[in-house]
Amino acid sequence: MVSRAERGPLAEWFWTIDRYFLAVFVLLIGTGFMLSFAASPAVAERIGLDSFHFVERHALFLLPSIIVMVGLSFLSPRQVRRAAMIMLVVSLAMMVLVLFIGMEVKGSRRWITISFLSIQPSEFMKPAFVVVCAWLFAEHQRQPDIPGNLFAMILFVIVAALLVAEPDLGQTILTTAVWGSMFFMAGMPWIWIVLMAGGAAGGLFFAYGFFPHVALRINQFLTGEGNTYQVDTAHEAIVRGSWFGSGPGEGIVKRILPDSHTDFVFSVAAEEFGVIFCMALLGLYIFVVMRGLSHAFRDRSHFTRFAVAGLVLQIGFQSIINIGVNLQLLPAKGMTLPLISYGGSSQIAICVTAGFILALTRHRPEKRAQERSFFRTGYGAPAAE
């Protein structure tokens, strides 16, 4: 145990970190590793690999992911901004390269191979994009003559264009939802709300008309006709699990469920551990979002407020999309369940998000003074950062 009397960096970190956040993130990471034993062996055997191939690879990324999360949590808000800016520039450059030299999988170019690693740059773009946009929105709030909102809109258009070009419409929708939520919190004028709603509707019609796979999935979702094998099998797994599940390793439907270790790991969890377990898992994501929004509400720094809210909403929206697909509430879309699904890029990128959240929600002395002033006087000028 670290003593309060100590004044080293580790002691200061331990006593200022939000330990509830840290515990939930570690619990989700551990749950994901546990579920990899249940979900991935059948997939590995179907494609001719060793039964524990994906389990071993999942384990390989655990330590780097935790190191990234804890390491980033030591940063100050200023250092978080700088790290996010560097990450955003690098990830955008790699997203451009992906369009020319990336691996094509199922008609999309999202991966780039560096040495023996396959990286999905868009995963690392997401937390960096949120932090940089939070800074731009905050600068406009601090000095209205700074065109921070305009720069944030330009940056959003660039990111959305690159995602559509891959194409990765799921990430485009997720990024749009998070960015729109942050813009709303930053005081978006009503005219922009109307324009964005119209643009979102237009974008959906565009995707439906120009991307056959999008039209196919929407039609299948609305009519129930066509090849709905994945979602039907996922639904069967959930139903079979009932309230308490069939027991660890006793799942049957998971053996024929495609992508059970990535997009449909929630269904595997339901089959083997039951609906109650899945409700507890959902509760952890709700806790992350609500605690993050609570931190954002109390913080007087516009940057911290927008960044923390955007980062937890990113985790929340991504969880909603994944779980919604598993429950047949949303059209089928390949998107991982944060910190649970198999995937090196996804795992480390979500830990980057978690590290930024931990860094920005640390209880620094100057932050406590700002919060006391906030509740005495209400909203005021943001503190210098």
Side-chain angles (χ1 to χ4, degrees):
M1 191 67 172
V2 181
S3 171
R4 285 184 181 271
E6 295 183 31
R7 288 294 182 266
L10 182 60
E12 181 184 358
W13 174 85
F14 182 81
W15 291 112
T16 58
I17 201 76
D18 187 321
R19 290 188 289 278
Y20 291 104
F21 259 144
L22 181 63
V24 169
F25 288 142
V26 172
L27 181 59
L28 285 171
I29 292 172
T31 302
F33 183 56
M34 176 192 72
L35 288 176
S36 71
F37 283 91
S40 64
V43 178
E45 290 169 3
R46 280 200 302 268
I47 60 178
L49 298 174
D50 179 74
S51 298
F52 292 100
H53 172 80
F54 293 114
V55 175
E56 293 169 356
R57 289 188 61 82
H58 194 124
L60 184 65
F61 286 104
L62 280 183
L63 183 59
S65 298
I66 294 174
I67 290 174
V68 165
M69 180 178 69
V70 174
L72 290 175
S73 70
F74 279 84
L75 301 181
S76 67
R78 187 185 300 273
Q79 291 170 328
V80 168
R81 285 200 300 268
R82 291 174 178 172
M85 182 64 74
I86 295 171
M87 186 181 301
L88 182 63
V89 171
V90 173
S91 60
L92 288 179
M94 292 179 68
M95 287 174 70
V96 173
L97 287 176
V98 161
L99 301 178
F100 298 98
I101 62 173
M103 296 186 299
E104 184 171 340
V105 180
K106 299 180 181 179
S108 298
R109 291 183 181 271
R110 304 174 189 174
W111 300 84
I112 189 169
T113 302
I114 300 177
S115 185
F116 60 92
L117 292 176
S118 294
I119 299 173
Q120 188 175 359
S122 59
E123 290 287 351
F124 296 93
M125 174 277 300
K126 291 188 296 184
F129 172 76
V130 168
V131 172
V132 172
C133 283
W135 173 63
L136 293 172
F137 288 137
E139 287 300 295
H140 182 76
Q141 290 280 323
R142 187 173 63 87
Q143 296 185 27
D145 56 320
I146 297 177
N149 289 0
L150 176 61
F151 290 150
M153 283 188 273
I154 294 172
L155 181 58
F156 167 72
V157 170
I158 294 172
V159 166
L162 288 172
L163 288 173
V164 171
E166 290 185 354
D168 192 342
L169 299 184
Q171 298 283 25
T172 306
I173 293 172
L174 173 62
T175 302
T176 301
V178 174
W179 183 85
S181 300
M182 293 171 62
F183 199 178
F184 181 80
M185 288 185 287
M188 177 196 297
W190 279 104
I191 184 62
W192 280 108
I193 294 177
V194 174
L195 290 174
M196 282 192 61
L204 289 176
F205 279 109
F206 173 83
Y208 184 86
F210 288 89
F211 293 97
H213 70 284
V214 174
L216 178 63
R217 289 180 178 180
I218 293 177
N219 291 337
Q220 289 173 348
F221 174 73
L222 294 176
T223 64
E225 299 175 355
N227 184 10
T228 58
Y229 177 77
Q230 277 188 309
V231 292
D232 289 341
T233 307
H235 179 262
E236 183 183 348
I238 294 172
V239 171
R240 186 179 182 278
S242 189
W243 289 103
F244 301 102
S246 58
E250 299 298 321
I252 296 175
V253 181
K254 69 175 185 180
R255 299 172 186 171
I256 59 172
L257 177 60
D259 299 323
S260 60
H261 61 322
T262 53
D263 303 341
F264 293 97
V265 67
F266 185 82
S267 297
V268 175
E271 182 181 15
E272 296 206 346
F273 298 96
V275 173
I276 292 178
F277 175 86
C278 289
M279 291 173 65
L281 190 61
L282 180 60
L284 294 178
Y285 289 115
I286 293 174
F287 174 85
V288 169
V289 174
M290 297 306 296
R291 189 166 183 83
L293 293 179
S294 176
H295 273 287
F297 172 77
R298 294 197 306 267
D299 205 302
R300 287 192 66 198
S301 165
H302 290 309
F303 164 67
T304 304
R305 188 185 311 152
F306 299 150
V308 171
L311 290 167
V312 297
L313 286 175
Q314 177 191 307
I315 293 176
F317 286 150
Q318 183 168 334
S319 304
I320 288 172
I321 293 172
N322 178 277
I323 295 173
V325 170
N326 278 258
L327 297 177
Q328 292 185 312
L329 298 176
L330 294 172
K333 179 67 196 83
M335 188 165 291
T336 58
L337 188 60
L339 297 175
I340 299 293
S341 297
Y342 167 82
S345 291
S346 174
Q347 180 83 2
I348 295 177
I350 291 293
C351 282
V352 169
T353 304
F356 284 164
I357 292 171
L358 291 171
L360 294 170
T361 56
R362 286 176 60 186
H363 300 289
R364 297 178 176 86
E366 67 276 12
K367 188 174 178 180
R368 289 195 294 269
Q370 292 171 18
E371 290 174 356
R372 287 195 294 269
S373 174
F374 171 80
F375 286 109
R376 284 197 304 266
T377 63
Y379 285 95
E385 297 173 3

